[in-house]
Amino acid sequence: MNQETFRAEREERSPQERYYQWVEQYLEGRRREIDVIPEEERVMEEVGDYGYRMRIKETHDIPASSATNPEYQNNNRFRATEYFFDFDDTLFDTTGYYNAIWEHLETLGLTRDQIVELYESCKIPDERTGEKMYRQDVFIDKLRDRFPEQVEAIEIAFRDVSYGDFIHEDMAHLLRLLTSSPVSRVHILTYGDVDTQRRKVEAVLERYGIPMDILYAQIPKADFLSRYLPEQYPYLLEDGSMNVQSFVVIDDSTDELEKLMTASKDIPFFAPLRLRKPEAKKSAREQKGEPAYEVAERYELILYEVMKSLQELRRSGRATTQEWFNQNMVELIRKHVEQEVSPRDQLEVRDGENGTLIVSRKIRAFPGNKSVLAFEREIAFDEIEGKMYEVVRDTNGQITKKKEWSPFYSDVIDRGLQAA
């Protein structure tokens, strides 16, 4: 692209649109810098006798800040948040995916009730755990046995329904933002037959920004995490530890969430959240017992604000283990979210000099505080390096300094709201 064409295209876009594009390019560059295990070298590991794990990223723990004080030897505990995202009907429209297959199968002469009955009959007890799990290979074999003259049509029914058509793009975008951060980790935690789940997850993995790993639970997720977290984060249950991490699990299943909320009474700094998508088959079910905080609209923005509220509470070890258990987390989250997502004008962008942008922001000081901090920065973007810089000028308008600048994730999340 020549300079004249570039300038013409730049002038056609508003300053705000150019800023959004810069931020997306910057974050994409951050993701490319993360060490990733090549696909052909990824290994499925056993996790005890209750699950499997496939690592995607290389694990580099934060260096210890003290060689002698045990409290600081494992600085992994200073990562802000460990996210555990459910896959089916949270990141992936599993209900829509199977409905599309069922529509193909109905052309074979089966009714929807017959298809669902056959599907349910393919939930086979796992050899190790006894948990019943849907096996897609068994389902296909039963269809072939029932319709031996239509084997090719059955294969087409599964082959012609693309996994990529059923990604929840707002959730994929949120994960791409979260996985560009070096201080947080995203894990996909899915329950079910490994071969069935792995086929779906890996088919769309790149759209999620490359998470830390994929965890394949072979027991209910609450039981999985109750065993997995203390094993992987041994300092978690230590009394008075300096851990400042929050452990956030996002799921759509009311049955899973009831158990996860029970587990949250034994695991400190552990917060289950419900994502309620109207198209999901479990959407109509209400939570039982003590409910988890529920996100039922503006998913990307509200989940981001929920996570930010937990980070604020945990920052600098502000909440001890006992304080965490004694607080009404759902109510604290609700108050923060209501304050943050109410109508506001937080971001304004206008043209600066020679291609720069002036970014003005208004932000809350911290949750529960009504005071607003306002500041303005002049931002430049290096197209080749994919980096953003804050420009500092003297009284004559001459640039005296350029320092690397990191954008706010909320800026690109707000963009989705404005485009809606």
Side-chain angles (χ1 to χ4, degrees):
M1 180 186 299
N2 62 44
Q3 288 298 314
E4 289 185 8
T5 303
F6 177 79
R7 279 195 295 270
E9 289 189 0
R10 185 180 67 189
E11 289 172 2
E12 288 178 1
R13 299 192 303 271
S14 69
Q16 202 140 334
E17 282 296 320
R18 295 207 306 278
Y19 177 68
Y20 291 144
Q21 186 178 37
W22 287 1
V23 173
E24 293 282 11
Q25 287 180 253
Y26 168 83
L27 294 173
E28 183 57 37
R30 288 287 297 272
R31 287 188 288 273
R32 285 197 298 268
E33 294 172 358
I34 296 170
D35 291 332
V36 176
I37 300 171
E39 190 171 350
E40 65 275 8
E41 295 178 16
R42 295 173 192 167
V43 177
M44 188 74 79
E45 311 166 345
E46 286 192 0
V47 176
D49 60 355
Y50 57 93
Y52 300 89
R53 173 177 61 202
M54 187 177 73
R55 289 206 174 281
I56 308 300
K57 291 180 180 177
E58 298 285 4
T59 307
H60 299 295
D61 285 338
I62 302 171
S65 58
S66 170
T68 57
N69 188 338
E71 253 184 356
Y72 295 96
Q73 285 183 8
N74 186 347
N75 271 15
N76 195 40
R77 69 184 67 191
F78 288 101
R79 292 184 186 276
T81 313
E82 300 274 347
Y83 303 105
F84 296 87
F85 280 86
D86 171 48
F87 185 76
D88 289 313
D89 282 327
T90 297
L91 301 180
F92 183 80
D93 181 12
T94 305
T95 299
Y97 169 75
Y98 282 117
N99 280 338
I101 292 176
W102 296 174
E103 288 174 8
H104 279 273
L105 296 178
E106 284 173 326
T107 64
L108 303 179
L110 282 171
T111 66
R112 182 61 61 100
D113 287 343
Q114 289 173 321
I115 294 169
V116 172
E117 183 181 356
L118 194 61
Y119 167 86
E120 292 293 333
S121 74
C122 297
K123 293 182 177 179
I124 312 298
D126 178 73
E127 292 181 1
R128 293 195 303 169
T129 65
E131 296 283 344
K132 285 190 174 183
M133 300 176 185
Y134 166 67
R135 292 265 304 274
Q136 188 141 299
D137 59 330
V138 173
F139 184 52
I140 293 173
D141 286 343
K142 285 189 176 184
L143 286 168
R144 287 170 174 162
D145 290 342
R146 186 158 183 172
F147 299 96
E149 72 287 356
Q150 301 214 56
V151 169
E152 185 177 356
I154 292 167
E155 292 176 353
I156 290 172
F158 285 88
R159 189 176 66 236
D160 282 6
V161 178
S162 171
Y163 291 114
D165 292 338
F166 297 92
I167 294 172
H168 285 311
E169 288 294 350
D170 56 345
M171 298 300 295
H173 186 229
L174 177 60
L175 261 68
R176 288 197 295 274
L177 298 180
L178 294 175
T179 54
S180 67
S181 169
V183 297
S184 300
R185 285 176 172 169
V186 171
H187 314 260
I188 293 178
L189 172 62
T190 183
Y191 169 83
D193 172 66
V194 172
D195 290 337
T196 301
Q197 294 302 100
R198 185 173 181 176
R199 191 177 297 112
K200 288 185 292 184
V201 174
E202 292 190 36
V204 295
L205 194 53
E206 287 190 7
R207 301 280 282 277
Y208 297 116
I210 310 300
M212 182 69 215
D213 52 26
I214 315 300
L215 300 170
Y216 295 93
Q218 303 298 285
I219 57 178
K221 291 171 192 166
D223 297 336
F224 180 97
L225 290 171
S226 293
R227 296 174 64 178
Y228 184 79
L229 293 180
E231 289 173 7
Q232 299 296 315
Y233 311 90
Y235 50 82
L236 180 60
L237 300 180
E238 294 174 6
D239 185 38
S241 80
M242 287 294 293
N243 168 46
V244 298
Q245 288 169 295
S246 296
F247 297 84
V248 181
V249 58
I250 298 97
D251 207 306
D252 77 305
S253 168
T254 55
D255 291 339
E256 291 276 18
L257 284 160
E258 185 177 2
K259 297 172 185 175
L260 287 165
M261 285 298 289
T262 300
S264 73
K265 302 305 178 184
D266 297 319
I267 304 174
F269 321 127
F270 179 80
L273 305 173
R274 184 190 188 183
L275 187 81
R276 190 170 188 167
K277 294 257 182 183
E279 63 270 25
K281 66 180 180 181
K282 297 175 184 176
S283 176
R285 300 178 189 175
E286 299 297 337
Q287 296 188 65
K288 299 175 182 177
E290 183 181 353
Y293 183 83
E294 189 167 295
V295 181
E297 60 179 353
R298 302 165 75 184
Y299 306 98
E300 188 179 7
L301 173 69
I302 294 179
L303 275 172
Y304 175 81
E305 292 296 347
V306 167
M307 294 167 187
K308 197 166 70 173
S309 72
L310 293 170
Q311 289 173 5
E312 289 288 349
L313 184 66
R314 297 291 301 122
R315 190 166 291 157
S316 302
R318 244 181 261 169
T320 65
T321 301
Q322 196 56 48
E323 286 170 341
W324 178 273
F325 286 134
N326 290 339
Q327 295 188 67
N328 184 337
M329 293 305 303
V330 172
E331 183 64 15
L332 287 174
I333 291 170
R334 184 188 64 77
K335 287 181 178 178
H336 170 90
V337 171
E338 285 182 353
Q339 180 186 48
E340 288 298 318
V341 303
S342 57
R344 69 207 193 280
D345 184 11
Q346 284 198 324
L347 174 70
E348 291 182 356
V349 185
R350 66 183 189 274
D351 283 313
E353 296 182 29
N354 299 320
T356 66
L357 294 173
I358 309 297
V359 178
S360 301
R361 286 196 57 88
K362 296 176 183 177
I363 60 172
R364 300 281 185 186
F366 53 84
N369 187 314
K370 294 183 178 181
S371 63
V372 174
L373 303 177
F375 60 88
E376 191 169 271
R377 299 287 186 271
E378 183 176 3
I379 305 300
F381 183 68
D382 188 314
E383 293 275 353
I384 297 174
E385 293 186 0
K387 293 182 178 179
M388 303 179 79
Y389 294 93
E390 179 185 348
V391 173
V392 180
R393 298 179 185 269
D394 62 20
T395 54
N396 296 319
Q398 299 300 309
I399 295 176
T400 59
K401 185 188 299 184
K402 285 173 63 177
K403 54 184 179 181
E404 195 166 343
W405 190 79
S406 298
F408 287 75
Y409 286 179
S410 56
D411 291 348
V412 284
I413 290 176
D414 284 345
R415 178 189 187 183
L417 293 178
Q418 294 173 11

